[in-house]
Amino acid sequence: MAAKTSELTFSQRWMPHPLLSVVLVVVWMLLLNTFTAGGLFVGLVLGVVLPIMTSGFWPARPPIRAYGRALAFTLLVARDVVVANLHVARLILFCPAEKLRTRWITVPLELESPEAITLLAGTITMTPGTVSSDLSEDGRSLLVHCLDAPDAEEAVRDIKTRYEARLKRIFQ
Amino acid sequence: MSFIMELVIALLIVMGGAFSFVGSLGLIRLPDLMTRLHAPTKATTLGVGGALVASMLYFLATDGKLSIHEILISVFLFLTAPVTAHFIAKAHLHQNPDVERHLSPTGRDCGWSTYDRRSHHATEPGSQPDGSEQ
């Protein structure tokens, strides 16, 4: 307890970013595409060395509070990406271009951490008929382009309840 | 390889090809840059996804090994597609300043960051936005 003030603890010094270490080992094993002891060893070395080398670029880590919720969110987005594909494909094939109700909408943000906002913007782009395009100067609103949105307010409400509320519970 | 496996793989490849085709068709059919942006970011993810699942099944059936490369490809695809789309949209806003009139209001005191440069000026020493120095 006494060493905590000036000295970094063992795990802070050698494992500055445990989640990144795990991700690196998994990505390395996926890249190898076979499971060997040597491959796992190299992966573990990379998983330890790379986070230490890059720790200067991670001044503040996004505090993920709920990993279970994060997994549930990933599955929800995966499902929505499939729906988005079918939806956009139908619009392209069967909807005359002049009948599309394209519009810009503004999504006021409740999320505060840049990581959470980035994730929300990415999710919006991958899901039905919306592409996130810009942030307001103070970073508190998101500009979203809709391919076919009959009702702007409903589109904003969808994004806020379906994605932002869930991300808020993961990050805050 | 059993007939059913071949059929499933063939269907997945055809489905992937169909979605890729629809995504490309969207580039021709849709009227302007912002709507065209929707086609490749969405319709093609299922196109590539279909081909990747087919590839996993094929190597599972022929070599009896689970090939997991493909999961990594789809993860990278999911990371890069929104970033690319965002950059293209931003470049579009930069190059066409008259688009600003059509944007919805920010609902804040400031404008959209592509057009509203005030905080950048405010942080530079010696250049106050109201020009009150000296």
Side-chain angles (χ1 to χ4, degrees):
Chain A
M1 297 297 142
K4 208 179 168 186
T5 47
S6 60
E7 289 280 304
L8 291 169
T9 64
F10 178 80
S11 70
Q12 278 170 328
R13 183 180 291 271
W14 297 106
M15 278 281 182
H17 201 319
L19 186 60
L20 179 62
S21 303
V22 173
V23 169
L24 281 170
V25 174
V26 170
V27 167
W28 180 254
M29 295 316 288
L30 288 176
L31 272 174
L32 285 182
N33 216 12
T34 48
F35 188 88
T36 57
L40 184 65
F41 176 73
V42 176
L44 285 173
V45 171
L46 288 175
V48 173
V49 171
L50 287 181
I52 294 172
M53 282 171 65
T54 57
S55 61
F57 299 110
W58 299 89
R61 263 138 243 161
I64 297 182
R65 303 238 181 262
Y67 288 93
R69 282 186 204 279
L71 186 67
F73 181 78
T74 313
L75 294 177
L76 176 88
V77 172
R79 197 199 74 101
D80 284 359
V81 167
V82 175
V83 175
N85 275 272
L86 297 170
H87 178 76
V88 172
R90 210 183 57 227
L91 285 180
I92 291 171
L93 287 176
F94 304 116
C95 189
E98 58 274 15
K99 275 200 182 159
L100 289 174
R101 286 148 295 183
T102 59
R103 64 171 80 233
W104 297 93
I105 60 170
T106 303
V107 181
L109 293 170
E110 285 164 47
L111 296 169
E112 274 159 20
S113 81
E115 293 84 1
I117 294 174
T118 309
L119 206 53
L120 177 68
T123 308
I124 288 172
T125 301
M126 295 307 285
T127 49
T130 48
V131 169
S132 49
S133 309
D134 205 357
L135 267 179
S136 67
E137 180 57 44
D138 60 355
R140 307 300 308 136
S141 296
L142 195 63
L143 179 67
V144 175
H145 186 266
C146 294
L147 184 59
D148 184 44
D151 183 1
E153 277 178 27
E154 197 192 319
V156 172
R157 208 176 326 121
D158 270 359
I159 289 172
K160 286 191 78 74
T161 53
R162 198 169 175 79
Y163 305 119
E164 195 189 18
R166 286 182 166 85
L167 283 174
K168 222 176 140 187
R169 269 177 269 152
I170 294 171
F171 281 99
Q172 287 173 4
Chain B
M1 196 161 39
S2 70
F3 172 72
I4 295 187
M5 202 63 165
E6 274 181 25
L7 189 71
V8 169
I9 293 170
L11 280 178
L12 278 169
I13 292 176
V14 169
M15 188 200 76
F19 272 97
S20 302
F21 174 71
V22 169
S24 313
L25 189 70
L27 281 178
I28 304 175
R29 281 210 53 193
L30 295 170
D32 57 42
L33 186 139
M34 282 310 296
T35 49
R36 280 179 185 156
L37 202 48
H38 289 274
T41 48
K42 298 193 196 70
T44 49
T45 30
L46 212 58
V48 179
L52 292 178
V53 175
S55 158
M56 282 177 88
L57 287 178
Y58 176 80
F59 284 108
L60 190 66
T62 51
D63 301 354
K65 279 196 308 190
L66 187 61
S67 175
I68 41 185
H69 264 146
E70 287 82 355
I71 296 174
L72 205 59
I73 298 176
S74 40
V75 168
F76 288 148
L77 198 70
F78 272 49
L79 287 180
T80 50
V83 178
T84 319
H86 184 76
F87 275 146
I88 294 175
K90 274 284 250 196
H92 173 66
L93 294 178
H94 269 290
Q95 291 198 322
N96 301 282
D98 51 315
V99 176
E100 190 179 9
R101 284 183 289 118
H102 304 291
L103 301 182
S104 52
T106 57
R108 311 283 306 171
D109 295 337
C110 52
W112 297 108
S113 59
T114 304
Y115 300 114
D116 189 340
R117 309 279 297 167
R118 82 183 94 166
S119 75
H120 299 277
H121 293 297
T123 50
E124 284 167 24
S127 69
Q128 277 152 26
D130 55 357
S132 63
E133 75 256 54
Q134 290 163 7

